[in-house]
């Protein structure tokens, strides 16, 4: 028999849209329903089934799969009578041995450290929901969950593995070990863990609903003298320093303004040049070294007839980083010059740049996989190239730039134009 918590409606908190700042009232949601911002369409909260149990179950299963993914052979490679096996962790240890500590740290954090912290924190908090736990520790763990979520890149790594397979199929015999299939399970279960928990529901269960408010639903939070918490969605008074529910620092607009976004974009644009000019990997075959740039790898795959994979790498590693930099430059310029036209179109462009940015890490992961797998000393060995570090820097910095850009500034311009009319 379904539990009453599954069938009972979920009453949301009064809040404001974190993307356009429009106030939204408290409302009741049936199971499977979501509350959207009426102005920009952003999902404010959702009523998901069994939120107290499903993330716990998925998280535990994902951790088991992670252990299995590190217990057996991940992939094996054989050519001309020589073979090499690779474990999952060998992708990282190879980078450390070759002196690429920055890349090793990126892989360690995005594939192991942060996902395990995320799942462990969810399991600990949900397990202790009905038990006493220090409120400061609960708030710290809850804020940590919200902040590290964008940096979980296990799914991107899995796509990188599949692209590596296509690259190697014409060169040698490739076999997938038990750890590969465990890693597929780990990836799918991590995605289910993330998608089965709603942020607002989570904070309500920890510290209860926020106080009811009479809201002007045609106004933004700042116009009404309010500020929305970007961690738990609670409303506070303008000028209030920290959220009363989750303890996060409150700010009506993201600190640093456009200046921080400009600085990050310029840095990423500078790094984009060596990322495409220098080799992203070096292949040593029978003593001869053959460097390969990102575009060179795309051309080679196209020549070998791997058109879909060549297109994926070209789009993910060349088009998306450049398009993201140009899109954010354009958005910053439009906001700085006071252009308030088509705010919804600008917001959709921003959402797209924020969503696709992490997928550019595919090429970095491909290099790590190939360098960890192909270590046939006298026949062929692949080493990461200097462009791998620059390219990883481009991806990470553009992600931070997108996070530092405040989309509410777009709607502030429209409000300013209405006031002048």
């Amino acid at each position: 028999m379904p539990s009453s918590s599954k069938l009972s409606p979920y009453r949301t908190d009064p809040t404001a849209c974190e993307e356009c700042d429009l106030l939204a009232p408290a409302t009741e949601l049936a199971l499977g329903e979501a509350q959207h911002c009426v102005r920009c369409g952003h999902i404010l909260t959702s009523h998901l089934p069994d939120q107290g149990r499903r993330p716990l179950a998925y998280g535990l299963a994902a951790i088991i799969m992670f252990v299995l993914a590190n217990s057996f052979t991940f992939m094996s490679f054989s050519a001309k009578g020589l073979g090499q096996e690779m474990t999952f962790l060998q992708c990282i240890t190879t980078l450390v041995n070759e002196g690429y500590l920055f890349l090793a740290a990126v892989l360690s954090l995005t594939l192991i450290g942060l996902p395990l912290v995320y799942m462990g924190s969810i399991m600990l908090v949900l397990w202790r929901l009905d038990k006493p736990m220090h409120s400061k520790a609960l708030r710290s763990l809850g804020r940590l969950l919200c902040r590290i979520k964008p940096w979980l890149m296990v799914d991107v790594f899995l796509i990188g593995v599949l692209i590596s397979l296509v690259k190697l199929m014409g060169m040698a015999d490739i076999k997938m070990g038990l750890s590969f299939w465990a890693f597929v399970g780990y990836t799918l279960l991590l995605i289910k863990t993330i998608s089965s928990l709603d942020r607002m529901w989570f904070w309500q269960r920890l510290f209860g609903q926020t106080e009811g408010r009479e809201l002007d639903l045609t106004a933004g939070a700042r116009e009404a003298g309010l500020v929305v918490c970007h961690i738990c969605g609670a409303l506070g008074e303008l000028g209030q320093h920290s959220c009363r529910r989750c303890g996060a620092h409150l700010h009506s607009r993201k600190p640093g303004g456009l200046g921080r976004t400009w600085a990050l974009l310029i840095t990423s644009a500078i790094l984009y040049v060596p990322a495409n000019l220098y080799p992203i990997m070096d292949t040593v075959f029978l003593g001869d070294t053959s460097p390969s740039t990102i575009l060179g790898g795309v051309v080679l795959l196209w020549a070998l007839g791997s058109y879909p994979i060549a297109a994926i790498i070209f789009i993910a590693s060349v088009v998306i980083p450049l398009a993201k930099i140009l899109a954010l430059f354009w958005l910053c310029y439009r906001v700085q010059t006071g252009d308030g036209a088509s705010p919804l179109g600008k917001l959709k462009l921003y959402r797209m740049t924020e969503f696709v940015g992490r997928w550019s890490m595919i090429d970095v992961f491909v290099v790590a996989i190939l360098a960890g797998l192909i270590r046939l000393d006298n026949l062929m060995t692949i080493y990461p190239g200097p462009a791998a570090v620059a390219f990883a820097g481009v991806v990470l910095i553009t992600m931070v730039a997108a996070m530092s850009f405040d989309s509410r500034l777009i709607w502030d311009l429209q409000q300013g134009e209405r006031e002048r009319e």
Side-chain angles (χ1 to χ4, degrees):
M1 179 179 292
S3 64
S4 59
S5 62
K6 287 178 66 176
L7 298 176
S8 59
Y10 157 51
R11 184 162 183 81
T12 68
D13 293 326
T15 187
C17 178
E18 60 184 331
E19 294 196 348
C20 74
D21 209 36
L22 185 69
L23 291 168
T27 187
E28 288 192 348
L29 299 177
L31 186 65
E33 286 186 337
Q35 183 182 15
H36 296 260
C37 174
V38 298
R39 180 159 68 177
C40 72
H42 177 63
I43 297 178
L44 303 175
T45 183
S46 302
H47 188 186
L48 303 174
D50 287 330
Q51 295 191 71
R53 293 180 293 181
R54 286 196 178 190
L56 193 63
Y58 288 136
L60 179 60
I63 290 176
I64 294 173
M65 285 297 174
F66 174 79
V67 173
L68 293 175
N70 288 280
S71 303
F72 305 99
T73 299
F74 192 79
M75 296 170 63
S76 62
F77 169 91
S78 61
K80 299 187 182 301
L82 298 175
Q84 176 73 36
E85 292 184 346
M86 182 189 76
T87 63
F88 171 61
L89 290 179
Q90 197 168 336
C91 293
I92 298 171
T93 57
T94 300
L95 294 174
V96 173
N97 294 336
E98 296 300 325
Y100 286 87
L101 300 182
F102 172 71
L103 291 180
V106 170
L107 265 69
S108 299
L109 287 173
T110 58
L111 303 180
I112 301 174
L114 295 181
L116 290 181
V117 168
Y118 185 88
M119 291 183 292
S121 298
I122 281 184
M123 293 171 62
L124 176 62
V125 172
L126 293 180
W127 175 59
R128 301 292 297 185
L129 271 178
D130 300 321
K131 302 176 179 66
M133 187 172 179
H134 198 284
S135 61
K136 188 174 181 180
L138 277 177
R139 287 185 171 94
S140 298
L141 285 175
R143 293 196 302 268
L144 181 66
L145 286 172
C146 296
R147 286 170 175 155
I148 67 177
K149 182 178 173 181
W151 302 100
L152 310 181
M153 298 190 183
V154 176
D155 49 346
V156 182
F157 181 80
L158 182 59
I159 300 301
V161 172
L162 299 179
I163 290 175
S164 301
L165 289 178
V166 175
K167 281 191 170 187
L168 293 172
M169 278 178 180
M171 302 166 53
D173 293 327
I174 305 297
K175 293 183 179 179
M176 313 310 296
L178 292 175
S179 287
F180 169 79
W181 301 109
F183 188 85
V184 173
Y186 167 56
T187 302
L188 297 176
L189 287 166
L190 176 59
I191 293 172
K192 290 293 291 183
T193 304
I194 295 170
S195 62
S196 61
L197 186 66
D198 179 74
R199 179 190 65 168
M200 188 179 290
W201 177 92
F202 175 75
W203 285 104
Q204 279 191 8
R205 284 300 308 271
L206 291 183
F207 298 106
Q209 289 184 298
T210 58
E211 61 187 47
R213 294 175 181 269
E214 291 293 331
L215 302 177
D216 177 4
L217 302 182
T218 63
R222 188 159 71 171
E223 298 170 65
L226 301 172
V227 58
V228 64
C229 176
H230 63 290
I231 295 293
C232 72
L235 289 174
E237 305 297 328
L238 198 61
Q240 186 179 322
H241 294 293
S242 60
C243 176
R244 293 189 181 95
R245 181 160 68 178
C246 72
H249 178 69
L250 291 180
H251 40 74
S252 179
R253 297 295 179 267
K254 292 181 181 178
L258 290 177
R260 177 180 296 182
T261 309
W262 277 117
L264 291 167
L265 286 175
I266 292 170
T267 304
S268 60
I270 293 171
L271 287 174
Y272 185 79
V273 177
N276 284 275
L277 291 181
Y278 288 98
I280 196 166
M281 66 181 182
D282 294 314
T283 303
V284 179
F285 182 71
L286 297 177
D288 293 328
T289 301
S290 176
S292 174
T293 62
I294 295 175
L295 280 174
V298 171
V299 172
L300 177 61
L301 284 170
W302 191 270
L304 293 174
S306 301
Y307 305 123
I309 302 301
I312 290 172
I313 293 181
F314 179 73
I315 292 171
S317 301
V318 180
V319 175
I320 287 179
L322 181 59
K324 186 173 183 179
I325 292 171
L326 293 177
L328 288 173
F329 265 123
W330 184 80
L331 288 172
C332 289
Y333 173 75
R334 287 300 185 184
V335 171
Q336 192 160 333
T337 55
D339 179 10
S342 304
L344 188 57
K346 292 187 180 73
L347 181 59
K348 289 180 178 179
L349 177 63
Y350 170 69
R351 287 173 180 168
M352 189 178 299
T353 59
E354 192 174 35
F355 172 76
V356 301
R358 60 199 291 273
W359 291 96
S360 298
M361 282 295 289
I362 286 177
D363 226 13
V364 176
F365 291 150
V366 168
V367 171
I369 294 162
L370 295 180
L373 180 63
I374 304 180
R375 315 292 297 173
L376 306 178
D377 295 331
N378 297 322
L379 179 63
M380 181 168 56
T381 305
I382 289 181
Y383 299 95
V389 177
F391 188 75
V394 171
V395 177
L396 297 177
I397 292 172
T398 53
M399 286 180 66
V400 177
M403 293 175 190
S404 68
F405 179 80
D406 198 329
S407 60
R408 293 171 294 187
L409 297 174
I410 299 171
W411 299 91
D412 290 344
L413 296 175
Q414 188 187 51
Q415 175 63 26
E417 288 183 354
R418 283 204 304 262
E419 292 175 353
R420 286 192 296 269
E421 289 176 352

